[in-house]
Amino acid sequence: MDIDTKEVTVVKQQSSKALAAAQELAITSPEEMTVATDHLSKMKQVAKMIKERKEAITKPLMEALNSARDLFKPIEANLAEAERIVKGKMVAYQTKVEADAEAERLRLAKRVEKGTMKPETAVRKMEQIEEAPKTVQGKTGAMAFRNVKKVRFADVKSLSPVAQIALCEAGYLVWDESAARRDALAGKLTTGVEVYEEKVVASSSKLDADSPLLGQK
Protein backbone atom coordinates (compact mmCIF):
# COMPACT_ATOMS: atom_id res chain seq x y z
CA MET A 1 0.00 0.00 0.00
CA ASP A 2 1.32 3.44 -0.97
CA ILE A 3 1.40 5.87 1.93
CA ASP A 4 1.11 9.56 1.11
CA THR A 5 4.18 10.76 3.02
CA LYS A 6 3.31 14.36 2.26
CA GLU A 7 -0.06 14.00 3.97
CA VAL A 8 1.53 12.23 6.93
CA THR A 9 4.04 15.06 7.18
CA VAL A 10 1.19 17.58 7.31
CA VAL A 11 -0.62 15.91 10.20
CA LYS A 12 2.69 15.37 11.98
CA GLN A 13 3.40 19.08 11.74
CA GLN A 14 -0.10 19.87 13.01
CA SER A 15 0.33 17.62 16.05
CA SER A 16 3.69 19.24 16.81
CA LYS A 17 2.09 22.68 16.60
CA ALA A 18 -0.68 21.52 18.94
CA LEU A 19 1.86 20.41 21.53
CA ALA A 20 3.85 23.63 21.22
CA ALA A 21 0.70 25.73 21.53
CA ALA A 22 -0.40 23.81 24.64
CA GLN A 23 3.00 24.26 26.28
CA GLU A 24 3.10 27.99 25.57
CA LEU A 25 -0.50 28.61 26.61
CA ALA A 26 -1.14 30.63 29.76
CA ILE A 27 -4.64 31.12 31.12
CA THR A 28 -4.94 34.08 33.44
CA SER A 29 -7.98 35.90 32.02
CA PRO A 30 -11.37 35.26 30.37
CA GLU A 31 -9.84 36.24 27.03
CA GLU A 32 -7.10 33.64 27.37
CA MET A 33 -9.73 31.05 28.36
CA THR A 34 -11.43 31.81 25.05
CA VAL A 35 -8.13 31.33 23.23
CA ALA A 36 -7.68 27.99 25.00
CA THR A 37 -11.17 26.95 23.89
CA ASP A 38 -10.26 27.71 20.29
CA HIS A 39 -7.02 25.75 20.68
CA LEU A 40 -9.01 22.71 21.86
CA SER A 41 -11.35 23.08 18.91
CA LYS A 42 -8.45 23.11 16.45
CA MET A 43 -6.82 20.17 18.22
CA LYS A 44 -10.02 18.18 17.77
CA GLN A 45 -9.86 18.84 14.04
CA VAL A 46 -6.22 17.77 13.88
CA ALA A 47 -7.09 14.59 15.79
CA LYS A 48 -9.86 13.91 13.29
CA MET A 49 -7.47 14.34 10.37
CA ILE A 50 -4.95 11.97 11.97
CA LYS A 51 -7.61 9.35 12.70
CA GLU A 52 -8.98 9.47 9.15
CA ARG A 53 -5.55 9.12 7.58
CA LYS A 54 -4.53 6.35 9.97
CA GLU A 55 -7.71 4.39 9.27
CA ALA A 56 -7.24 4.85 5.54
CA ILE A 57 -3.98 2.93 5.96
CA THR A 58 -4.88 0.41 8.65
CA LYS A 59 -8.47 -0.48 7.68
CA PRO A 60 -7.56 -2.30 4.42
CA LEU A 61 -4.76 -4.10 6.26
CA MET A 62 -7.11 -5.21 9.02
CA GLU A 63 -9.71 -6.33 6.49
CA ALA A 64 -7.07 -8.38 4.65
CA LEU A 65 -5.88 -9.88 7.94
CA ASN A 66 -9.42 -10.77 9.02
CA SER A 67 -10.11 -12.24 5.59
CA ALA A 68 -7.03 -14.46 5.83
CA ARG A 69 -8.00 -15.55 9.33
CA ASP A 70 -11.54 -16.38 8.22
CA LEU A 71 -10.16 -18.34 5.28
CA PHE A 72 -7.85 -20.53 7.34
CA LYS A 73 -9.91 -20.74 10.56
CA PRO A 74 -12.13 -23.71 9.49
CA ILE A 75 -9.14 -25.45 7.91
CA GLU A 76 -7.10 -25.14 11.09
CA ALA A 77 -10.11 -26.16 13.18
CA ASN A 78 -10.57 -29.36 11.14
CA LEU A 79 -6.90 -30.24 11.50
CA ALA A 80 -6.93 -29.54 15.23
CA GLU A 81 -10.03 -31.71 15.66
CA ALA A 82 -8.45 -34.51 13.62
CA GLU A 83 -5.35 -34.40 15.82
CA ARG A 84 -7.48 -34.39 18.97
CA ILE A 85 -9.42 -37.46 17.78
CA VAL A 86 -6.31 -39.45 16.88
CA LYS A 87 -4.55 -38.61 20.14
CA GLY A 88 -7.70 -39.47 22.06
CA LYS A 89 -7.89 -42.89 20.43
CA MET A 90 -4.21 -43.47 21.15
CA VAL A 91 -4.67 -42.67 24.82
CA ALA A 92 -7.81 -44.83 24.98
CA TYR A 93 -5.94 -47.80 23.49
CA GLN A 94 -2.96 -47.38 25.79
CA THR A 95 -5.22 -47.04 28.82
CA LYS A 96 -7.10 -50.20 27.85
CA VAL A 97 -3.88 -52.19 27.38
CA GLU A 98 -2.62 -51.00 30.77
CA ALA A 99 -5.90 -51.96 32.44
CA ASP A 100 -5.96 -55.38 30.76
CA ALA A 101 -2.35 -56.04 31.75
CA GLU A 102 -3.00 -55.07 35.37
CA ALA A 103 -6.15 -57.22 35.47
CA GLU A 104 -4.22 -60.21 34.12
CA ARG A 105 -1.42 -59.76 36.66
CA LEU A 106 -4.01 -59.58 39.43
CA ARG A 107 -5.72 -62.74 38.14
CA LEU A 108 -2.44 -64.65 38.11
CA ALA A 109 -1.53 -63.41 41.59
CA LYS A 110 -4.87 -64.60 42.95
CA ARG A 111 -4.33 -68.05 41.44
CA VAL A 112 -0.98 -68.24 43.20
CA GLU A 113 -2.68 -67.25 46.47
CA LYS A 114 -5.33 -69.95 45.98
CA GLY A 115 -2.65 -72.53 45.19
CA THR A 116 -3.98 -73.30 41.71
CA MET A 117 -0.82 -72.01 40.01
CA LYS A 118 2.82 -72.26 40.85
CA PRO A 119 4.62 -68.96 41.54
CA GLU A 120 7.22 -69.60 38.84
CA THR A 121 4.46 -70.29 36.31
CA ALA A 122 2.73 -67.06 37.26
CA VAL A 123 5.98 -65.12 36.90
CA ARG A 124 6.57 -66.62 33.46
CA LYS A 125 3.05 -65.73 32.35
CA MET A 126 3.36 -62.22 33.74
CA GLU A 127 6.50 -61.72 31.69
CA GLN A 128 4.49 -62.59 28.59
CA ILE A 129 1.75 -60.05 29.26
CA GLU A 130 1.51 -57.35 26.56
CA GLU A 131 2.62 -54.04 28.02
CA ALA A 132 1.09 -50.74 27.02
CA PRO A 133 3.24 -48.89 24.48
CA LYS A 134 5.30 -46.00 25.84
CA THR A 135 6.74 -44.96 22.50
CA VAL A 136 5.84 -45.77 18.91
CA GLN A 137 8.10 -45.34 15.89
CA GLY A 138 6.27 -44.95 12.59
CA LYS A 139 7.54 -44.68 9.03
CA THR A 140 7.37 -40.88 9.00
CA GLY A 141 7.21 -39.95 12.66
CA ALA A 142 7.35 -41.03 16.27
CA MET A 143 5.26 -40.51 19.38
CA ALA A 144 5.62 -41.04 23.11
CA PHE A 145 3.21 -41.11 26.02
CA ARG A 146 4.02 -39.06 29.07
CA ASN A 147 2.12 -38.12 32.19
CA VAL A 148 1.47 -34.42 32.63
CA LYS A 149 0.32 -32.88 35.89
CA LYS A 150 -2.69 -30.60 35.49
CA VAL A 151 -4.77 -28.51 37.86
CA ARG A 152 -8.52 -28.10 38.06
CA PHE A 153 -9.73 -25.07 39.99
CA ALA A 154 -12.95 -24.74 41.91
CA ASP A 155 -15.26 -21.84 41.17
CA VAL A 156 -14.02 -18.92 43.28
CA LYS A 157 -17.60 -18.04 44.17
CA SER A 158 -18.02 -21.47 45.77
CA LEU A 159 -15.09 -20.92 48.14
CA SER A 160 -15.53 -19.67 51.68
CA PRO A 161 -14.74 -16.00 52.41
CA VAL A 162 -11.67 -17.14 54.35
CA ALA A 163 -10.39 -19.10 51.34
CA GLN A 164 -11.05 -16.15 49.04
CA ILE A 165 -9.14 -13.81 51.33
CA ALA A 166 -6.23 -16.26 51.45
CA LEU A 167 -6.12 -16.41 47.66
CA CYS A 168 -6.24 -12.61 47.44
CA GLU A 169 -3.39 -12.23 49.92
CA ALA A 170 -1.35 -14.78 47.99
CA GLY A 171 -1.92 -12.81 44.81
CA TYR A 172 -3.91 -15.49 43.00
CA LEU A 173 -7.10 -13.51 42.54
CA VAL A 174 -6.60 -10.80 39.93
CA TRP A 175 -7.97 -7.36 40.71
CA ASP A 176 -10.44 -6.32 38.01
CA GLU A 177 -10.31 -2.54 38.21
CA SER A 178 -12.75 -2.00 35.35
CA ALA A 179 -15.42 -4.16 36.97
CA ALA A 180 -14.79 -2.58 40.39
CA ARG A 181 -15.08 0.94 38.94
CA ARG A 182 -18.32 0.02 37.17
CA ASP A 183 -19.85 -1.45 40.33
CA ALA A 184 -18.68 1.49 42.44
CA LEU A 185 -20.32 4.00 40.11
CA ALA A 186 -23.51 1.92 40.18
CA GLY A 187 -23.47 1.87 43.97
CA LYS A 188 -22.94 -1.90 44.15
CA LEU A 189 -19.46 -1.65 45.66
CA THR A 190 -18.99 0.48 48.76
CA THR A 191 -16.23 -1.25 50.74
CA GLY A 192 -12.70 -0.02 50.12
CA VAL A 193 -13.77 2.44 47.45
CA GLU A 194 -14.42 6.16 47.28
CA VAL A 195 -16.64 7.69 44.63
CA TYR A 196 -15.72 11.32 44.08
CA GLU A 197 -16.21 14.03 41.48
CA GLU A 198 -13.39 15.56 39.46
CA LYS A 199 -13.78 18.54 37.16
CA VAL A 200 -12.90 17.73 33.55
CA VAL A 201 -13.11 19.63 30.26
CA ALA A 202 -15.37 18.37 27.50
CA SER A 203 -14.66 20.18 24.25
CA SER A 204 -16.01 19.98 20.74
CA SER A 205 -14.84 21.29 17.39
CA LYS A 206 -17.03 23.33 15.08
CA LEU A 207 -14.37 23.31 12.41
CA ASP A 208 -14.80 21.44 9.17
CA ALA A 209 -12.24 20.24 6.64
CA ASP A 210 -11.89 23.74 5.16
CA SER A 211 -11.42 25.57 8.45
CA PRO A 212 -8.04 26.94 9.57
CA LEU A 213 -5.90 24.63 11.64
CA LEU A 214 -3.24 25.25 14.23
CA GLY A 215 -0.65 27.76 13.23
CA GLN A 216 -2.74 29.05 10.34
CA LYS A 217 -4.61 32.30 10.12
Side-chain angles (χ1 to χ4, degrees):
M1 174 182 293
D2 294 331
I3 299 177
D4 188 341
T5 54
K6 181 178 180 181
E7 187 173 352
V8 173
T9 300
V10 171
V11 294
K12 183 178 180 180
Q13 291 174 344
Q14 292 295 331
S15 67
S16 297
K17 290 178 180 178
L19 178 58
Q23 293 171 335
E24 295 174 0
L25 180 66
I27 303 177
T28 59
S29 67
E31 291 76 13
E32 289 173 340
M33 179 68 84
T34 301
V35 172
T37 300
D38 289 338
H39 274 307
L40 282 178
S41 178
K42 294 176 182 179
M43 291 173 189
K44 289 281 187 180
Q45 184 65 14
V46 174
K48 182 179 178 182
M49 286 178 57
I50 294 173
K51 180 181 178 182
E52 289 175 349
R53 183 54 190 146
K54 180 178 67 176
E55 290 182 350
I57 297 172
T58 60
K59 189 174 180 180
L61 296 176
M62 293 302 297
E63 290 176 348
L65 178 60
N66 290 334
S67 178
R69 285 174 173 168
D70 291 341
L71 175 64
F72 286 97
K73 187 175 182 179
I75 301 173
E76 293 170 337
N78 285 343
L79 184 60
E81 178 65 7
E83 183 177 343
R84 186 193 68 79
I85 291 173
V86 172
K87 288 182 176 180
K89 291 181 177 180
M90 285 178 164
V91 171
Y93 171 74
Q94 199 225 29
T95 302
K96 181 180 183 304
V97 173
E98 285 180 340
D100 291 345
E102 183 61 26
E104 180 62 13
R105 279 190 287 268
L106 182 60
R107 187 185 70 82
L108 294 172
K110 286 183 177 180
R111 287 196 60 184
V112 172
E113 289 177 1
K114 292 180 180 179
T116 59
M117 180 178 288
K118 295 179 180 180
E120 57 269 24
T121 302
V123 171
R124 188 181 71 253
K125 288 184 176 292
M126 286 183 182
E127 292 175 349
Q128 296 173 354
I129 294 175
E130 179 186 3
E131 297 294 340
K134 301 297 183 183
T135 62
V136 178
Q137 181 66 50
K139 293 181 179 179
T140 60
M143 59 80 63
F145 287 103
R146 59 191 180 93
N147 295 325
V148 178
K149 291 184 178 180
K150 294 188 175 182
V151 178
R152 182 180 292 108
F153 293 104
D155 185 353
V156 174
K157 295 180 181 178
S158 68
L159 300 177
S160 67
V162 174
Q164 293 186 31
I165 292 173
L167 288 174
C168 284
E169 291 178 345
Y172 293 120
L173 294 184
V174 179
W175 170 254
D176 190 338
E177 185 172 342
S178 297
R181 184 184 297 108
R182 182 176 61 251
D183 288 346
L185 292 175
K188 297 179 181 179
L189 178 62
T190 57
T191 302
V193 65
E194 175 190 5
V195 178
Y196 63 96
E197 292 186 356
E198 180 179 290
K199 198 178 299 297
V200 298
V201 176
S203 64
S204 62
S205 174
K206 296 181 180 179
L207 301 177
D208 55 36
D210 298 324
S211 299
L213 299 180
L214 290 167
Q216 299 177 350
K217 301 296 184 180

